[in-house]
Amino acid sequence: MASILYLTDLYYPAKGRTYYEEDIFIAGRLMDHFDVALCHPKNSEAFEDSADVIVFRNTGSVIGYKEIYRAFRERIQKNSLRTFNTFTGKADMLGKDYLLELTKLGFPVIPTVDCKSDISLLPASDRYVIKPKDGADSIGLEFLSDEELSQRHIADHVYLIQPAVEFEYEVSFYFIDDKFEYAMYAPNKTKRWEMVPYHASEEDIRFAERFISWNSISHGIQRVDACRTIEGELLLIELEDLNPYLSLLQTEKDTQEKFIVDLVSTLNNCLKEQTPEL
Ligand SMILES: Nc1ncnc2c1ncn2[C@@H]1O[C@H](COP(=O)(O)OP(=O)(O)OP(=O)(O)O)[C@@H](O)[C@H]1O
Ligand SMILES: [Mg+2]
């Protein structure tokens, strides 16, 4: 059997989510097909060379282990380690800069700039959101009135600045490689991690697929987070291509089964291929 080194943080204190339950479920199911060992990224180096593939899962925000993450990425390249996701992504795994690029390219994203002097490029708004580029888990995210924004010193290229979007709900689309698996949404705006299954229309799926096609993950799990504005359109909030939490245990049984079948299948394909050049 091929071997998997499954990276996770079973103790990660995520708001409203139980990372370890999801990973125990997924890792448990993978054990029917692979030899699987669970490990935290801080302890992985000693085992990396002996694993056929390293699966990067609910390891929490890398802000908590920046240096470990940097060194891990360096070893992937140096030792040609096979990973899932492949570390070829252009989105969250490199920080939040991609939102600037997608804004410039005219993708349906929350309009984003990274300097106060560019604020005129955003649609006029009386409320704004600022968030640190290397942030996650809403760390450092603040809502400001236009008055507060004009008075606040914000270092150029360190924060993203966006209009505060009024939305009906947040919805997430989950993909394995380029295949749409399922969608979930948060009907209660104040409890955004209380996700329930969402019936995505063809148009919704096409919206999400644009971001998956733009990105360059050859094998991996990605989550497209969007909001439905009060005007009814979808706008991207975040393309999570590093370690998206999947709310998998909140999906229906057949969705879970299909997800596991597709995951096993893509891992088998990944094992047959050359590791990508980084
Ligand atoms: N421009 C915006 N307008 C309105 N709400 C926003 C905006 N940006 C972010 N939010 C709200 O803040 C939440 C967190 O934002 P985002 O996903 O960009 O940050 P994050 O640091 O990756 O955090 P998390 O891991 O908590 O999702 C969003 O899910 C949304 O509810
Ligand atoms: Mg988010």
Side-chain angles (χ1 to χ4, degrees):
M1 267 208 256
S3 63
I4 290 179
L5 181 62
Y6 190 104
L7 302 189
T8 178
D9 179 356
L10 299 174
Y11 298 94
Y12 191 78
K15 273 179 244 143
R17 292 151 281 174
T18 40
Y19 278 16
Y20 65 90
E21 276 182 0
E22 177 166 288
D23 272 350
I24 287 170
F25 171 75
I26 297 174
R29 296 297 302 270
L30 291 178
M31 285 172 193
D32 296 335
H33 306 270
F34 307 97
D35 287 329
V36 183
L38 266 59
C39 181
H40 188 285
K42 70 179 179 224
N43 307 111
S44 66
E45 187 172 0
F47 307 105
E48 286 162 6
D49 288 330
S50 56
D52 293 313
V53 58
I54 302 166
V55 174
F56 201 85
R57 281 277 64 241
N58 289 331
T59 53
S61 162
V62 296
I63 296 183
Y65 54 99
K66 261 188 191 162
E67 180 48 32
I68 290 168
Y69 179 64
R70 194 202 53 74
F72 174 63
R73 291 198 58 143
E74 213 171 85
R75 290 195 303 277
I76 296 174
Q77 191 171 12
K78 192 167 85 200
N79 304 336
S80 301
L81 299 175
R82 183 182 279 112
T83 64
F84 182 95
N85 296 358
T86 49
F87 275 80
T88 49
K90 299 190 281 184
D92 218 66
M93 63 171 62
L94 299 180
K96 291 188 191 290
D97 267 323
Y98 69 98
L99 290 165
L100 298 166
E101 183 182 343
L102 289 173
T103 300
K104 286 199 189 113
L105 290 171
F107 276 65
V109 302
I110 297 181
T112 307
V113 295
D114 68 347
C115 297
K116 260 175 81 172
S117 55
D118 285 343
I119 213 86
S120 60
L121 301 174
L122 299 179
S125 178
D126 47 19
R127 278 174 85 222
Y128 291 87
V129 169
I130 59 167
K131 40 188 145 177
K133 276 191 192 180
D134 65 352
D137 277 356
S138 304
I139 297 162
L141 184 146
E142 275 185 80
F143 284 78
L144 301 177
S145 67
D146 50 356
E147 176 81 25
E148 287 166 327
L149 181 67
S150 66
Q151 281 163 14
R152 178 79 68 95
H153 171 73
I154 298 170
D156 285 351
H157 311 301
V158 179
Y159 284 83
L160 297 183
I161 308 173
Q162 302 176 325
V165 174
E166 272 194 65
F167 55 77
E168 296 281 351
Y169 54 82
E170 292 181 66
V171 53
S172 294
F173 304 87
Y174 304 79
F175 287 78
I176 294 181
D177 300 349
D178 54 5
K179 183 165 178 262
F180 170 71
E181 292 285 330
Y182 58 92
M184 300 287 278
Y185 85 121
N188 183 341
K189 269 209 260 189
T190 61
K191 295 185 177 158
R192 84 183 159 96
W193 292 112
E194 283 187 14
M195 307 285 275
V196 298
Y198 174 84
H199 184 78
S201 70
E202 281 302 317
E203 198 184 337
D204 296 341
I205 297 170
R206 275 200 302 276
F207 160 87
E209 279 173 346
R210 284 186 66 184
F211 298 101
I212 302 294
S213 315
W214 167 81
N215 206 2
S216 40
I217 296 278
S218 40
H219 286 292
I221 301 173
Q222 295 180 76
R223 194 184 74 213
V224 178
D225 290 341
C227 59
R228 174 84 62 194
T229 66
I230 44 174
E231 291 84 25
E233 63 171 340
L234 286 176
L235 288 179
L236 182 84
I237 300 178
E238 186 175 16
L239 173 55
E240 178 54 83
D241 62 352
L242 177 63
N243 54 3
Y245 177 69
L246 303 171
S247 302
L248 190 61
L249 298 179
Q250 281 71 55
T251 66
E252 279 150 14
K253 268 269 158 317
D254 55 341
T255 306
Q256 283 172 19
E257 292 308 315
K258 193 165 121 305
F259 185 89
I260 296 294
V261 167
D262 288 345
L263 182 59
V264 169
S265 155
T266 189
L267 283 168
N268 277 321
N269 290 335
C270 188
L271 284 162
K272 282 185 222 137
E273 291 166 19
Q274 288 271 349
T275 55
E277 286 288 324
L278 295 183

